[in-house]
């Protein structure tokens, strides 16, 4: 049976991919150093062969890659504002860590690496929707690191013949996303605040828009990309999103319905390094590996809020902490 490796397996996206692979009866290894990943995210993943180590630890990563067929590379410090505050750490995890992993993958003769790219590489270019043939224009250090990772993927395909696929995720949300840090994704923060009857803060006028993508769509995209014929996907970059966009003001209204929150919304100055609008063209992923979103925004919000309400109750009870 093939073995899969998920980097960042204790993070929101990594644990979701690992969980689906295990549900499909696959043999799965995970690596995470818990820098932003959470031990509680490994709950329910007891069948995972887990290695606690940093992605920059060459020995541990070489060990993790041994006998692996395909890697899902999700490890990173996932935040635009955190990268603005600390670009060195963001670069170390995102860029050096990616090179370490690629070297280990090449040495271990791994067949394919599927890489977590980001919509942030498009920056503030005015054209919508964003398609993969547009010139990237990253603003934040996070976006630069994600783009560098993509280029390393392509380099390793061209130079060493390692199959790589980059999936540019667009604002992923869903169960298991950490809502407790001010670096968390906006929907996670707002869902938690509203359930706790606390006032959410919108940075800017709330008219910024995002192609918010429910986690199940991203997991689906990863599995399809891992199975697609190399000639269709290897060395290439694909958007994985929904092809629709929602403003923050609209998202708040949908969250109000899901959470029952009827209080105020606070407005504060726009955040540095922010992108105004983001919307994906998902035609290429559809054409090359049959990707289509499975879950639309409102349903994703319902499922996310349900999860925070039930499973993450203790977190909600402690709301008002770090944020
Ligand atoms: C960006 C990327 C996304 C990536 C993520 C990783 C873009 C378009 N998207 O997300 O693909 O996965 O980084 O971190 O570049 N906001 C509030 N109040 C809050 C928190 C956030 O108003 O309490 C606003 C932000 O200012 C921003 C929007 O909500 O305008 C979305 O922010 P966030 O969820 O942090 O994600 P992006 O930075 O858009």
């Amino acid at each position: 049976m093939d073995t899969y490796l998920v980097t960042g397996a204790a993070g929101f996206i990594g644990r979701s991919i690992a969980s689906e692979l295990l549900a499909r009866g696959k043999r799965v290894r995970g690596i995470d150093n818990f820098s932003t990943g959470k031990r509680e995210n490994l709950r329910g993943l007891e069948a995972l062969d887990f290695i606690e180590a940093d992605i920059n630890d060459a020995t541990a990563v070489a060990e993790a890659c041994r006998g692996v067929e395909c890697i899902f590379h999700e490890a990173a410090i996932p935040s635009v504002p955190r990268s603005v505050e600390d670009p060195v750490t963001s670069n170390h995890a995102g860029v050096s860590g990616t090179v370490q992993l690629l070297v280990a993958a090449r040495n271990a003769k791994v067949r394919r690496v599927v890489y977590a790219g980001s919509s942030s590489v498009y920056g503030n270019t005015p054209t919508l929707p964003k398609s993969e043939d547009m010139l990237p224009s990253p603003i934040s250090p996070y976006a630069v690191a994600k783009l560098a990772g993509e280029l390393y993927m392509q380099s390793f395909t061209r130079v060493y013949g390692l199959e790589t696929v980059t999936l540019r995720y667009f604002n992923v949300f869903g169960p298991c996303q950490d809502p407790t840090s001010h670096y968390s994704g906006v929907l996670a923060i707002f869902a938690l605040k509203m359930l706790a009857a606390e006032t959410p803060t919108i940075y800017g006028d709330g008219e910024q828009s995002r192609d918010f993508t429910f986690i199940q769509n991203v997991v689906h995209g990863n599995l399809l990309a891992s199975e697609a014929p190399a000639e269709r996907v290897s060395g290439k970059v694909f958007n994985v999103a929904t092809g629709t966009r929602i403003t923050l003001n609209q998202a708040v209204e949908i969250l109000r319905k899901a959470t029952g929150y009827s209080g105020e919304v606070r407005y504060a100055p726009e955040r540095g390094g922010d992108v105004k609008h983001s919307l994906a063209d998902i035609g290429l992923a559809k054409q090359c590996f049959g990707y289509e979103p499975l879950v639309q925004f409102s349903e994703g919000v319902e499922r996310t809020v349900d999860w925070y309400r039930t499973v993450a109750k203790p977190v909600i009870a402690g709301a008002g902490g770090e944020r």
Side-chain angles (χ1 to χ4, degrees):
M1 195 201 292
D2 291 338
T3 300
Y4 294 81
L5 171 66
V6 180
T7 73
F12 160 50
I13 299 176
R15 74 88 55 204
S16 304
I17 293 172
S19 171
E20 181 61 27
L21 288 167
L22 290 171
R24 292 184 184 199
K26 309 289 187 195
R27 195 157 49 201
V28 192
R29 195 172 291 154
I31 184 167
D32 204 300
N33 65 350
F34 298 112
S35 71
T36 61
K38 299 256 180 286
R39 283 179 204 278
E40 57 261 34
N41 278 342
L42 298 179
R43 252 185 243 141
L45 304 186
E46 285 71 27
L48 185 71
D49 172 15
F50 183 73
I51 300 168
E52 181 174 348
D54 193 292
I55 197 72
N56 277 295
D57 176 341
T59 310
V61 172
E63 184 60 29
C65 287
R66 209 142 48 109
V68 165
E69 161 78 4
C70 179
I71 299 173
F72 297 93
H73 179 35
E74 313 304 308
I77 309 280
S79 165
V80 167
R82 196 190 296 246
S83 79
V84 171
E85 279 165 34
D86 183 4
V88 172
T89 303
S90 176
N91 184 77
H92 188 61
V95 184
S96 303
T98 294
V99 179
Q100 284 288 358
L101 179 77
L102 282 169
V103 168
R106 180 205 62 188
N107 292 348
K109 301 199 171 14
V110 170
R111 180 179 57 85
R112 181 171 297 179
V113 180
V114 182
Y115 169 65
S118 168
S119 63
S120 59
V121 303
Y122 292 111
N124 257 333
T125 47
T127 314
L128 290 177
K130 308 293 186 196
S131 60
E132 297 85 345
D133 55 4
M134 287 176 182
L135 207 57
S137 181
I139 299 171
S140 62
Y142 172 80
V144 171
K146 279 289 169 191
L147 181 59
E150 284 188 10
L151 296 173
Y152 271 114
M153 291 293 145
Q154 294 181 327
S155 168
F156 272 64
T157 297
R158 289 189 183 137
V159 177
Y160 306 110
L162 173 66
E163 292 177 18
T164 65
V165 189
T166 291
L167 303 182
R168 288 182 181 162
Y169 304 156
F170 281 63
N171 288 74
V172 190
F173 72 100
C176 295
Q177 187 171 32
D178 175 18
T180 60
S181 153
H182 66 273
Y183 298 122
S184 299
V186 66
L187 297 182
I189 294 175
F190 282 13
L192 181 68
K193 288 227 172 214
M194 289 176 164
L195 283 170
E198 291 181 9
T199 308
T201 302
I202 289 184
Y203 302 129
D205 61 5
E207 287 305 299
Q208 65 264 53
S209 60
R210 294 290 183 271
D211 192 334
F212 289 111
T213 308
F214 187 61
I215 182 66
Q216 196 181 324
N217 299 326
V218 169
V219 171
H220 178 56
N222 271 277
L223 295 182
L224 290 173
S226 72
E227 292 156 359
E231 60 277 15
R232 289 182 156 261
V233 297
S234 183
K236 296 190 183 148
V237 172
F238 300 94
N239 292 337
V240 168
T242 70
T244 53
R245 72 190 164 103
I246 307 277
T247 67
L248 269 194
N249 288 327
Q250 289 169 331
V252 163
E253 290 316 306
I254 292 167
L255 277 164
R256 279 187 189 281
K257 287 198 192 95
T259 59
Y261 178 77
S262 57
E264 298 278 287
V265 172
R266 190 179 301 122
Y267 287 83
E270 203 173 290
R271 201 170 68 177
D274 244 14
V275 163
K276 186 75 184 172
H277 298 295
S278 178
L279 170 68
D281 179 338
I282 53 173
L284 193 64
K286 182 175 183 180
Q287 183 194 321
C288 293
F289 53 93
Y291 167 78
E292 283 197 80
L294 303 174
V295 181
Q296 298 307 322
F297 181 72
S298 314
E299 188 192 334
V301 167
E302 289 285 343
R303 285 160 65 171
T304 304
V305 168
D306 278 353
W307 186 84
Y308 286 128
R309 188 182 277 130
T310 51
V311 182
K313 231 182 195 157
V315 180
I316 294 166
E322 198 201 324
R323 291 154 302 132

